[in-house]
Amino acid sequence: MTPDVLPPSEDGPLDRDALLDEAIAEAESLGPLLRRSRRVRGASAFDPAELLRSLKEEKAGFGPRPEILPLTSDALTARGAAVDDRVRALLERFDFYSMTLPITLFPRRGWSFDRLECRLELNPGEPPERRAIVHDLFPASEWETLARANMRLEVGITEGLEFRAHAAGLLPVGVGAEARLDSGAGFVFPPRDYCIKRAKVLSRGREDCEVFWRLDDDSFFETDEPRLGMILKAPRGGAPLRAVGVLAAYRSFKALSANLGDLVGYLSERVKTFFEKGAPLVDRKEWDLGG
């Protein structure tokens, strides 16, 4: 694990609803005091309990099942890929798959999540020689400059069994597998639009059985449903593919405290700590992927 990536599961078990219920009860009991304090300061009327109740309606999590696409020699040949010696040697020793994780985000109306973290482990508990590893992943840290400049990318798989991102709109409409990127590699599988907006991207995990992502920026994920993707490299005769994922969606404490106002000062330490950590919504899933 790299020290600059914090997996969401390190926060331990989290009962978000119970913590919000505790904050709601405190807000309701302090209602008259909080309203009087706002009047003294000339601030507009505001009900923090109503805001907290709306946070309980938020959703953030993985879709029901990842999309798995085998990347076989026959599939590459059928699409007209020029398989070089390096890729041919890899395909003789390993099975390759494209795996895409759909994510659903449903923040409070008018709000947004501003940080998304994900950790995924392949074949946990299996000996190293039987575990699949991550050959490539998206979004990747090196895409950030392109994403910030163009906001919308096309993401495809090249004949080198790697993801490539290209600014959407620069390729002619209708261009297929013969389209070329700046790197000189072609999209073998048709590219998909990927809107990443202003996100700062941090990703780790190539050639490892664990992968991490952190995507963050102000007002990010208000309307987006991002996807995370990997190209998996599984040893022939290895364990059937399994994956365990942890996802956490956060918002900044600055945004929360500005809306909760004086209430923050009356909360218990554990509830205050929960808000200081971004009131995360956490989802954990395990998938049997076959293979």
Side-chain angles (χ1 to χ4, degrees):
M1 180 195 311
T2 58
D4 51 352
V5 177
L6 175 64
S9 62
E10 287 191 358
D11 292 336
L14 176 71
D15 190 339
R16 188 177 193 264
D17 282 350
L19 291 165
L20 288 174
D21 284 340
E22 184 176 331
I24 290 168
E26 192 68 27
E28 290 174 339
S29 69
L30 292 168
L33 175 63
L34 296 174
R35 287 191 290 273
R36 187 162 56 250
S37 173
R38 293 182 72 84
R39 282 198 302 270
V40 168
R41 299 197 315 272
S44 58
F46 171 71
D47 183 1
E50 181 182 354
L51 184 151
L52 291 165
R53 280 190 288 268
S54 70
L55 294 185
K56 294 188 67 174
E57 303 302 317
E58 297 183 313
K59 304 292 180 186
F62 295 110
R65 185 173 176 81
E67 176 188 283
I68 297 291
L69 174 66
L71 303 177
T72 64
S73 179
D74 289 345
L76 294 173
T77 301
R79 291 178 177 271
V83 180
D84 63 23
D85 291 342
R86 180 186 69 88
V87 172
R88 189 174 294 107
L90 286 171
L91 290 170
E92 289 174 356
R93 297 175 53 207
F94 300 97
D95 294 320
F96 283 81
Y97 304 88
S98 168
M99 176 177 172
T100 304
L101 290 170
I103 294 170
T104 298
L105 299 175
F106 185 72
R108 179 184 185 271
R109 184 177 181 181
W111 279 32
S112 61
F113 300 114
D114 52 27
R115 188 164 99 251
L116 184 71
E117 294 184 356
C118 180
R119 178 181 70 178
L120 187 134
E121 183 176 5
L122 299 168
N123 296 110
E126 293 287 345
E129 66 274 9
R130 288 176 53 83
R131 299 178 75 171
I133 63 174
V134 176
H135 180 67
D136 201 8
L137 71 162
F138 83 82
S141 299
E142 57 267 27
W143 295 8
E144 183 177 322
T145 301
L146 183 60
R148 283 174 168 266
N150 296 282
M151 295 183 66
R152 192 163 64 89
L153 306 179
E154 289 177 329
V155 179
I157 299 173
T158 72
E159 55 200 20
L161 299 177
E162 296 171 334
F163 291 116
R164 285 291 182 272
H166 198 78
L170 296 184
L171 297 177
V173 175
V175 171
E178 72 279 5
R180 297 286 144 179
L181 299 178
D182 295 338
S183 64
F187 283 138
V188 174
F189 293 88
R192 295 178 173 181
D193 281 354
Y194 188 83
C195 186
I196 199 169
K197 290 192 176 175
R198 297 169 297 279
K200 298 175 184 175
V201 180
L202 177 65
S203 60
R204 298 287 187 272
R206 286 188 179 94
E207 300 303 316
D208 201 345
C209 55
E210 289 186 84
V211 61
F212 306 92
W213 288 272
R214 179 186 292 152
L215 311 178
D216 67 320
D217 209 337
D218 293 340
S219 300
F220 191 45
F221 302 128
E222 185 170 4
T223 58
D224 301 311
E225 292 197 345
R227 296 188 304 274
L228 305 175
M230 290 151 286
I231 293 176
L232 308 183
K233 183 167 68 174
R236 293 279 169 84
L241 285 175
R242 288 190 306 115
V244 176
V246 183
L247 177 79
Y250 304 81
R251 56 173 53 90
S252 71
F253 178 63
K254 180 180 178 181
L256 287 165
S257 58
N259 284 275
L260 294 174
D262 297 336
L263 175 63
V264 173
Y266 293 95
L267 296 173
S268 68
E269 282 304 314
R270 71 191 195 100
V271 178
K272 191 183 300 183
T273 298
F274 163 69
F275 285 119
E276 288 172 348
K277 289 187 175 182
L281 272 159
V282 179
D283 187 29
R284 295 175 173 84
K285 276 199 170 59
E286 182 170 348
W287 303 277
D288 289 318
L289 304 171

